[in-house]
Amino acid sequence: MVVKIDDVARLAGVSKTTVSRVLNNRGYLSDTTIKKVHDAMESLNYQPNAVARQLFKKETKLVGLIFPTVDNPFFGQLVAELEKRLFDSGFKVLIGNSMNDPEKEETYLKELISNQVDGLIVGAQNRDISEYHTSNLPVVSIDRNMNEDIPVISSDNYQGGKLATELLINSGAKHIINTNGPVNLKTPANRRTQAYADVMASHNMVPHTYVIDFNWDINKKERIINEMFKEYPEMDGIFVTNDMDAALVWRTAVKLGYKIPQDLKIVGYDGANSTRVLLPELTTIEQPIDEIAQVAVKTLIDRIQGKEIPAEQILPVKVWKGQSV
Amino acid sequence: MVVKIDDVARLAGVSKTTVSRVLNNRGYLSDTTIKKVHDAMESLNYQPNAVARQLFKKETKLVGLIFPTVDNPFFGQLVAELEKRLFDSGFKVLIGNSMNDPEKEETYLKELISNQVDGLIVGAQNRDISEYHTSNLPVVSIDRNMNEDIPVISSDNYQGGKLATELLINSGAKHIINTNGPVNLKTPANRRTQAYADVMASHNMVPHTYVIDFNWDINKKERIINEMFKEYPEMDGIFVTNDMDAALVWRTAVKLGYKIPQDLKIVGYDGANSTRVLLPELTTIEQPIDEIAQVAVKTLIDRIQGKEIPAEQILPVKVWKGQSV
DNA sequence: GTGAAAGCGCTAACAT
DNA sequence: ATGTTAGCGCTTTCAC
């Protein structure tokens, strides 16, 4: 049998209100009462039932996180950071990996919406899902444009794209390709490609953007990358929109006999911790992951507390100098 | 205002009992009633309050996951896989990254227990925490020996350690070092080191195990690894207990002028997806992460349903042939 | 087939 | 300084 507040009250010889007061440090309590109650809780090994409390308070102290997958250096680090900061603010984290499955995202959303969570931080590859609009759950998005009401946190994607492209041009690359996710996905990350196109144009070079879908499995990605090499044999520089894909491009290039960076210069994007440990040679644009997490959590909590919050917050990127440029 | 079951009942012109029955597909309902109720739910955009349901049912369909951190290729993939399979079985996931902080683990545990999770899957670096014993919550552990009642799932650590060591010996290494986490941590992963010691002994070689704590930050790890190179200048082979550390060893070796694998042969452990993409050159012992997740989830669900479950389940490892041996 | 009523474990008026 | 009581939104006996 599970111990409940009445059991504690009975043992301590008080009413359950009193126990509840001790539990929540509310109202006037005599020291002896407090002690009696604490002793009773101790000896019964009492754990308050959070669900009952949640039902009454209409507040769960739970935040839902919807991201493609935690099996990825960038999202793994991001989720870890979010979790850490949410924990420090008294929230626990319900996680939903939506990858490859818009239905799954919708299911998650539905289940999280009604009273299960106090707020949501999302960065999924979603299509337009109506629940984001119709519920009045506080939502903060990372690197996704959802709708007017949902604030977006992102790295300075335009600046990142600019830095990456300039890095390639300045190191002498003449035929520079860019990869990006599907363009129909509404994300500020598309600004990376915009910046690439702008910089290319200003140097009188022709931009080519190649689509690599985040959700494709590795074999499909490798096949597409091989095709890309065939299609652009003159390619001597490439700005890949994330580090995992950049690593695949690198591997493929080496297999095809390219020397990096002599024959092909590569710049990635993300710069997560574990990427930097496993492949420090990759030159990349580092997102300020920790700061993104920090701002996202602060923004969400402000939203939950009904404060005014900015519609968009853009955080500065840095260049990680590896040896691929 | 949030729509509740009474609102639906009123609009549909039935009692809330009936709405509840429709919701749960229970009892006898006329088709017209079902339709009326569905229409009402639709037009009000009704989402049942999961918390209220949980309070009544004493079942949350929530599973807690306590792991060091999701910002790591191995744990990231493991958690992603666990989440996927739990979702498929109708569970959502509450996540707790305990890293560096036994207190945090204890806090999590308490809060998860009081949050009424239906079960727990743990693989944290924990000390002995009493809550694991005193609560009668179903718990499954991955690669940690907790206590008699808690079943353990792990890769075949002994076989992995044996394969790794033999790989190094067969490729001609004479002075082979091993790294491991703190020995006082009770984990089947210590069998890797045991196997290493056994194989070394059977070849009349002297084993040396170096401690690298998983929780140390990167700078400290690098410092220790540098010391290790000083202490064992004759080292020409090393079996590192996880791939991230193996990558650090590799980097350090290269900085010190070693050629891999000519001067130093390296074998890692884990073989997670993103490691294989970012650093496929690393020869490593691959844990069957997907299978571990699958077995852990099945075992937990069996436990929740009161079935008999094995105390220990060991899953086979494979060698990933890179170029570091 | 459908409804009325009790209760899951907790909190917060409102009393005293 | 402490107790009584009425819910939080749902599910489920037990009636009809």
Side-chain angles (χ1 to χ4, degrees):
Chain A
M1 249 303 292
V2 176
V3 185
K4 51 190 92 163
I5 205 170
D6 299 273
D7 302 318
V8 177
R10 202 168 313 118
L11 181 61
V14 298
S15 76
K16 56 190 192 141
T17 308
T18 301
V19 177
S20 171
R21 286 201 181 100
V22 172
L23 228 39
N24 298 286
N25 261 316
R26 207 187 291 305
Y28 305 92
L29 283 326
S30 75
D31 287 351
T32 38
T33 308
I34 294 179
K35 178 147 187 359
K36 270 191 303 185
V37 171
H38 273 139
D39 289 350
M41 296 198 299
E42 191 93 355
S43 80
L44 293 174
N45 198 12
Y46 171 70
Q47 296 285 354
N49 181 329
V51 173
R53 179 180 287 163
Q54 287 164 8
L55 179 59
F56 185 90
K57 292 231 186 180
K58 295 175 167 176
E59 182 190 86
T60 56
K61 286 292 179 185
L62 245 39
V63 166
L65 259 36
I66 302 185
F67 286 90
T69 175
V70 105
D71 178 18
N72 168 284
F74 175 72
F75 289 116
Q77 185 181 342
L78 182 57
V79 167
E81 283 295 328
L82 288 169
E83 189 271 344
K84 190 167 92 189
R85 289 162 200 284
L86 286 165
F87 178 86
D88 290 343
S89 301
F91 291 92
K92 268 138 284 151
V93 164
L94 253 171
I95 200 159
N97 296 331
S98 64
M99 186 157 187
N100 279 330
D101 200 342
E103 265 177 55
K104 193 174 171 189
E105 179 175 352
E106 196 161 350
T107 308
Y108 260 122
L109 203 52
K110 277 197 182 140
E111 299 199 336
L112 295 186
I113 276 175
S114 190
N115 261 308
Q116 279 233 48
V117 296
D118 294 344
L120 228 43
I121 302 180
V122 289
Q125 309 289 107
N126 53 278
R127 311 165 307 177
D128 213 29
I129 293 183
S130 66
E131 276 81 3
Y132 284 118
H133 310 214
T134 53
S135 93
N136 51 354
L137 187 70
V139 179
V140 167
S141 142
I142 293 181
D143 242 0
R144 295 287 175 268
N145 298 109
M146 324 248 341
N147 70 51
E148 302 308 309
D149 320 329
I150 297 181
V152 185
I153 324 286
S154 62
S155 69
D156 192 340
N157 287 288
Y158 192 90
Q159 175 67 5
K162 188 160 171 284
L163 286 170
T165 313
E166 287 173 350
L167 229 38
L168 291 165
I169 290 178
N170 293 341
S171 67
K174 299 290 177 217
H175 302 281
I176 303 172
I177 303 292
N178 161 246
T179 76
N180 195 4
V183 277
N184 59 342
L185 186 69
K186 281 188 182 167
T187 154
N190 289 334
R191 292 177 194 157
R192 301 174 196 169
T193 287
Q194 186 55 53
Y196 156 80
D198 291 351
V199 172
M200 291 291 279
S202 78
H203 284 77
N204 297 315
M205 295 165 110
V206 185
H208 289 289
T209 289
Y210 222 91
V211 172
I212 301 181
D213 194 313
F214 183 85
N215 288 329
W216 288 342
D217 70 32
I218 262 205
N219 296 325
K220 172 144 193 193
K221 282 187 176 181
E222 285 185 325
R223 212 166 56 242
I224 299 292
I225 290 169
N226 269 297
E227 276 174 26
M228 184 182 68
F229 274 95
K230 283 217 186 73
E231 197 172 343
Y232 300 104
E234 73 282 17
M235 168 171 76
D236 59 0
I238 183 165
F239 167 35
V240 185
T241 208
N242 72 71
D243 291 337
M244 295 298 279
D245 289 351
L248 285 177
V249 168
W250 190 326
R251 286 179 65 182
T252 307
V254 167
K255 273 189 203 145
L256 293 172
Y258 288 72
K259 290 256 178 295
I260 313 293
Q262 296 84 342
D263 306 334
L264 177 67
K265 300 176 201 320
I266 307 177
V267 177
Y269 205 101
D270 284 348
N273 286 337
S274 48
T275 310
R276 218 166 33 238
V277 169
L278 292 167
L279 189 55
E281 298 83 8
L282 177 66
T283 295
T284 192
I285 306 300
E286 255 187 77
Q287 300 205 49
I289 304 184
D290 296 9
E291 207 183 331
I292 290 175
Q294 184 191 328
V295 171
V297 169
K298 181 182 185 318
T299 304
L300 183 68
I301 291 176
D302 283 354
R303 241 312 320 251
I304 291 175
Q305 298 175 343
K307 295 187 191 150
E308 272 300 311
I309 50 176
E312 182 165 26
Q313 292 173 81
I314 296 180
L315 303 170
V317 295
K318 282 198 304 207
V319 172
W320 169 264
K321 288 201 171 287
Q323 287 130 48
S324 63
V325 165
Chain B
M1 248 304 292
V2 177
V3 185
K4 52 192 93 164
I5 204 169
D6 298 273
D7 302 318
V8 177
R10 202 169 311 120
L11 181 62
V14 298
S15 76
K16 57 189 191 143
T17 309
T18 302
V19 178
S20 171
R21 286 201 180 99
V22 173
L23 227 38
N24 297 286
N25 261 316
R26 205 186 292 305
Y28 305 92
L29 281 328
S30 76
D31 287 353
T32 38
T33 307
I34 294 179
K35 178 150 187 357
K36 269 191 305 187
V37 171
H38 273 139
D39 289 350
M41 295 198 299
E42 191 94 353
S43 79
L44 293 174
N45 198 11
Y46 171 70
Q47 295 286 355
N49 181 327
V51 173
R53 179 180 287 164
Q54 287 165 8
L55 179 59
F56 186 90
K57 292 228 185 182
K58 293 176 167 175
E59 182 190 86
T60 56
K61 287 293 179 185
L62 245 37
V63 166
L65 258 37
I66 303 186
F67 286 90
T69 175
V70 105
D71 177 19
N72 169 283
F74 176 71
F75 290 116
Q77 185 181 342
L78 182 57
V79 167
E81 283 296 327
L82 288 169
E83 188 273 344
K84 189 166 94 189
R85 288 162 201 284
L86 286 165
F87 179 86
D88 290 343
S89 301
F91 292 92
K92 267 140 283 148
V93 164
L94 258 171
I95 200 160
N97 296 332
S98 64
M99 185 155 187
N100 280 331
D101 201 342
E103 266 178 54
K104 194 173 170 189
E105 179 176 353
E106 196 161 351
T107 308
Y108 259 122
L109 199 53
K110 279 198 183 141
E111 299 203 335
L112 292 183
I113 289 173
S114 80
N115 243 290
Q116 318 297 305
V117 295
D118 293 345
L120 227 45
I121 301 179
V122 290
Q125 311 288 109
N126 52 278
R127 309 165 307 176
D128 213 29
I129 293 182
S130 66
E131 275 81 2
Y132 285 119
H133 310 215
T134 53
S135 92
N136 53 352
L137 188 69
V139 179
V140 167
S141 140
I142 294 182
D143 242 0
R144 296 287 174 268
N145 298 110
M146 323 242 348
N147 71 50
E148 302 308 309
D149 320 329
I150 297 181
V152 185
I153 324 286
S154 61
S155 69
D156 192 339
N157 287 287
Y158 192 90
Q159 175 68 5
K162 187 160 172 286
L163 286 170
T165 312
E166 286 173 350
L167 229 38
L168 291 164
I169 291 178
N170 293 341
S171 66
K174 298 292 177 215
H175 302 280
I176 303 171
I177 302 293
N178 161 246
T179 76
N180 195 5
V183 277
N184 59 341
L185 186 69
K186 281 188 182 170
T187 154
N190 290 334
R191 292 176 193 159
R192 301 173 196 170
T193 287
Q194 185 56 52
Y196 157 80
D198 290 352
V199 173
M200 290 291 279
S202 79
H203 284 76
N204 297 315
M205 295 166 112
V206 185
H208 290 288
T209 289
Y210 221 89
V211 172
I212 301 181
D213 193 313
F214 183 85
N215 287 330
W216 288 342
D217 70 32
I218 263 206
N219 295 325
K220 171 143 194 194
K221 283 187 176 182
E222 284 186 326
R223 212 168 53 243
I224 299 292
I225 289 169
N226 269 298
E227 275 173 27
M228 183 182 68
F229 274 95
K230 285 218 184 73
E231 196 171 346
Y232 300 105
E234 73 282 18
M235 168 171 76
D236 58 0
I238 182 165
F239 167 34
V240 184
T241 207
N242 71 72
D243 291 338
M244 295 298 279
D245 290 350
L248 285 177
V249 168
W250 191 327
R251 286 180 64 182
T252 306
V254 168
K255 274 190 202 145
L256 292 173
Y258 287 72
K259 292 254 176 297
I260 313 292
Q262 296 85 340
D263 306 333
L264 177 67
K265 301 178 201 318
I266 306 177
V267 177
Y269 204 102
D270 284 348
N273 285 337
S274 48
T275 309
R276 216 163 40 236
V277 169
L278 292 167
L279 188 56
E281 298 83 7
L282 177 66
T283 295
T284 191
I285 306 300
E286 256 187 76
Q287 300 205 49
I289 303 184
D290 296 9
E291 209 183 329
I292 290 175
Q294 185 190 328
V295 171
V297 168
K298 182 183 184 317
T299 304
L300 183 68
I301 291 175
D302 283 354
R303 245 304 328 247
I304 291 175
Q305 298 174 343
K307 295 187 192 152
E308 272 300 309
I309 50 176
E312 181 165 26
Q313 292 174 82
I314 296 180
L315 305 169
V317 296
K318 283 197 304 207
V319 172
W320 170 264
K321 288 202 169 289
Q323 288 131 47
S324 62
V325 167

